[in-house]
Every structure is written in structure tokens, then in C-alpha cells.
Amino acid sequence: GKSSAAAKRAAVQARMDAEAEREDEAPAGPPAGVGIIFREGQQGNGTVLVVKAFAPGGPADSSGQIEVGDFLVTVDGKKVTTTQAATAMILGARGSLITMAFERAGAKFTVAMRRGLAATLK
């Protein structure tokens, strides 16, 4: 009869809608960072994170604004004092925005980057 054809059409439509929704979701993938390797150092009576090295071509390297020896002050406005905390806060969705504050020779500066994407050439 007519009702089974309508039911079949509705089922097919529902399945297509479900598949379309799945395609809209961004692939999770591994978390992305900015390509900085830190080491813990001492400053006064506290621990500071010092930029030790860069992943070549990574967001931090491509920014051209960060140098080996800079101190990491904050990640997205939150103070960081251990490499473990820094890693947890820096890793995030590929292409998402991150703002990091550094200190060099007593002067603070902020660098905004996108995780896991090399900066575009100017």
C-alpha cells in the first residue's frame, strides 16, 4: 500500500540526514600544538619554562617572534610553570587559535598562532 512506500521514503531520508550530519563533524585527529620544546628553569624562587627548541616549520618557528631562551609566561591568559601543564594547555584542535605570552630580557610580549598550522608566508 501507500503507507509502506511513505515509510520507506522517510527511512531513506532519515538515513541520509544522519550521514550528512556525520560529514559535518570535523575529524577529531590527534591534538595539535605550536612546535615549541620547553625546559624547566629556575628564576628567583620559582620555576619558569624556557624555550629550548622549535619544530622546524611549526607555528612558533614560522611566527618569527619567539626565540630560544624566551620564558613562557601564560597560555591563553593562564600562568604556566611546568612542562606538563604547558603541554596540556598548548595542545588543542588543529587550526584553533592560541595566545601565548613570553618574556625576554624583562619585556613581555604576546604571540597569537593557530595550532598545528604553519604560518602563511607574507
Side-chain angles (χ1 to χ4, degrees), residues 99-115:
T99 304
M100 301 171 75
F102 294 89
E103 189 178 308
R104 180 187 307 147
K108 286 193 172 78
F109 62 99
T110 304
V111 182
M113 297 169 275
R114 290 203 178 274
R115 291 174 172 95

Side-chain angles (χ1 to χ4, degrees), residues 41-111:
Q42 293 299 312
Q43 186 186 41
N45 53 7
T47 306
V48 290
L49 291 183
V50 186
V51 175
K52 184 179 168 185
F54 298 104
D61 182 33
S62 301
S63 79
Q65 298 176 70
I66 306 161
E67 295 175 7
V68 169
D70 289 347
F71 298 137
L72 175 64
V73 183
T74 61
V75 175
D76 289 332
K78 296 182 189 76
K79 199 161 171 47
V80 221
T81 54
T82 66
T83 52
Q84 199 175 352
T87 301
M89 289 166 73
I90 291 168
L91 291 179
R94 186 178 174 84
S96 60
L97 199 62
I98 181 171
T99 304
M100 301 171 75
F102 294 89
E103 189 178 308
R104 180 187 307 147
K108 286 193 172 78
F109 62 99
T110 304
V111 182

Side-chain angles (χ1 to χ4, degrees), residues 2-15:
K2 193 173 143 195
S3 61
S4 66
K8 194 183 242 177
R9 253 200 318 277
V12 166
Q13 186 60 49
R15 198 163 55 237

